[in-house]
Amino acid sequence: MKLRETLNLPLSATAAATMYADPEYTAIRRSTLGANAAESTLDGDPAGAFTVRTELSMPTDRVPDIVRPFVGSSVTIHEVQKWEAPEADGGRRGTTSLEVAGTPAGLTGTLRLLPGEGSSSRVEIDGDLVAKIPLLGPRLEKAAVPYVSTVLRAEERSAATYATSHTG
């Protein structure tokens, strides 16, 4: 199922790329999402191309009822963001993948980090949410879209917290 989101960040595109690569941002995301645990690793440097691998352990108390039998009381999400080197305006292209450990569900997509006005930017996410479960897959995908959108929207709150602690 297609998933499209635009996230508005209170940071320049360059600062947003630095944020994504910063382990402190992973800790902020953990708190914002109410995750049980979160850790990330960085390959490369945010001045150029880089990849961030994040593992989040999330409680499932807010997932749709139809999904709960497949995930239990918590899930581990493996996320990989691969960012290309910055373009002349500071924008970037990238890819993302989310895999829910132990399930046949995940998200793959493209990312576009675009400079905004002043010290702002936006991230456009164009992805495919897939639950490879015979007969139930499409229903699970449809039920999961609002949950995934909520998790993605939490990025805006996490970025605001990060921006506050790194500016002024």
Side-chain angles (χ1 to χ4, degrees), residues 8 18 21 25 28 52 63 70 84 109 126 146 150 158:
N8 296 299
T18 299
Y25 179 65
I28 291 169
V52 178
V63 300
F70 297 97
E84 296 176 4
D126 186 4
T150 299
S158 296

Side-chain angles (χ1 to χ4, degrees), residues 78-143:
H78 299 281
E79 175 187 41
V80 178
Q81 287 187 355
K82 294 183 179 184
W83 291 100
E84 296 176 4
E87 297 167 357
D89 64 359
R92 292 175 187 254
R93 295 180 187 275
T95 60
T96 186
S97 66
L98 293 171
E99 177 186 297
V100 181
T103 73
L107 171 76
T108 58
T110 59
L111 301 169
R112 186 81 175 104
L113 176 58
L114 300 162
E117 304 223 0
S119 60
S120 70
S121 59
R122 70 182 186 276
V123 177
E124 294 176 350
I125 303 163
D126 186 4
D128 290 302
L129 181 65
V130 178
K132 298 176 187 170
I133 299 172
L135 304 176
L136 287 178
R139 284 183 51 209
L140 290 171
E141 291 166 7
K142 187 174 182 179

Side-chain angles (χ1 to χ4, degrees), residues 13-95:
T14 301
T18 299
M19 174 190 74
Y20 282 126
D22 189 339
E24 185 180 333
Y25 179 65
T26 302
I28 291 169
R29 284 181 71 202
R30 176 181 183 241
S31 176
T32 301
L33 290 168
N36 300 326
E39 62 180 57
S40 62
T41 58
L42 171 66
D43 294 322
D45 185 316
F50 68 97
T51 299
V52 178
R53 289 175 177 77
T54 305
E55 184 173 294
L56 293 161
S57 175
M58 300 282 297
T60 58
D61 56 337
R62 291 174 285 186
V63 300
D65 290 340
I66 190 173
V67 176
R68 260 195 213 114
F70 297 97
V71 294
S73 62
S74 69
V75 293
T76 299
I77 299 169
H78 299 281
E79 175 187 41
V80 178
Q81 287 187 355
K82 294 183 179 184
W83 291 100
E84 296 176 4
E87 297 167 357
D89 64 359
R92 292 175 187 254
R93 295 180 187 275
T95 60

Side-chain angles (χ1 to χ4, degrees), residues 3 5 64 129 140-152:
L3 177 75
E5 291 287 339
L129 181 65
L140 290 171
E141 291 166 7
K142 187 174 182 179
V145 165
Y147 177 74
V148 172
S149 291
T150 299
V151 170
L152 292 173

